[in-house]
Amino acid sequence: MIALGCDHGGYNLLGEIRGMLREKGLELRDFGAFSEESCDYPDFALGVARAVASGECEYGILVCGTGIGMSIAANKVPGVRAALCGDCFSAEMTRRHNDANVLCLGARVTGAGLALKIAEIFLETAFEGGRHARRVAKIADMEVHLLGEVRPENV
Ligand code: RB5
């Protein structure tokens, strides 16, 4: 299952991506936005990020104007490794080396043809594991330690 989310800036591009994923027969869960009306990207990043972090969805795709706000917001959720990609090489490498589980795209930066290709590569590329698994595990450790540090008794 793939979680999808966008704000008004990413609405049209996410529509094209949704169409491509449906044609491939993939199961989708849509977290909105459901129109081009102005809205706040963190609201949609949160829904997608939670669905991925909980394991309900294997991957997430988030689209806003630049992809930057979505990636900042999604990466606040422990367990999420969101990667903003504007080229095919980065999309491949972030799956192979970072085991990224959320792809962020900037609709005002990346054209639809390229964005569709990036999404395809992201979803079809496997994590390499090995030394990269050790590094990804260190990111998970950071989350545990940092969450400990922001507990009220430590503030
Ligand atoms: C909305 O105008 C825009 O700020 C948003 O889509 C995104 O680019 C934020 O990072």
Side-chain angles (χ1 to χ4, degrees):
M1 178 109 72
I2 317 273
L4 302 179
C6 65
D7 71 354
H8 52 289
Y11 180 77
N12 287 322
L13 178 56
L14 188 62
E16 298 208 33
I17 292 170
R18 186 184 301 109
M20 185 261 291
L21 299 179
R22 274 195 187 134
E23 270 179 32
K24 288 181 183 290
L26 293 168
E27 259 195 287
L28 308 175
R29 173 139 190 234
D30 221 316
F31 286 85
F34 299 109
S35 81
E36 276 187 282
E37 197 179 317
S38 182
C39 58
D40 301 335
Y41 58 82
D43 298 338
F44 308 100
L46 181 62
V48 167
R50 275 188 168 149
V52 172
S54 71
E56 180 198 341
C57 292
E58 191 181 1
Y59 297 116
I61 299 180
L62 286 166
V63 191
C64 66
T66 59
I68 297 171
M70 284 298 197
S71 59
I72 292 171
N75 276 317
K76 295 289 179 201
V77 176
V80 165
R81 292 175 300 280
L84 170 58
C85 295
D87 64 90
C88 295
F89 181 74
S90 298
E92 181 185 336
M93 296 313 285
T94 199
R95 285 289 311 125
R96 285 174 55 182
H97 287 190
N98 313 125
D99 199 15
N101 48 17
V102 174
L103 170 66
C104 299
L105 293 160
R108 296 174 186 154
V109 183
T110 307
L114 177 56
L116 291 179
K117 194 72 205 161
I118 288 171
E120 219 170 18
I121 290 170
F122 184 90
L123 296 176
E124 286 171 5
T125 304
F127 178 47
E128 272 179 26
R131 66 186 187 282
H132 303 294
R134 184 182 69 238
R135 293 163 187 165
V136 170
K138 286 190 177 186
I139 298 173
D141 285 349
M142 282 170 62
E143 285 171 349
V144 171
H145 292 288
L146 294 173
L147 284 174
E149 281 173 25
V150 295
R151 282 197 192 111
E153 62 266 27
N154 298 328
V155 175

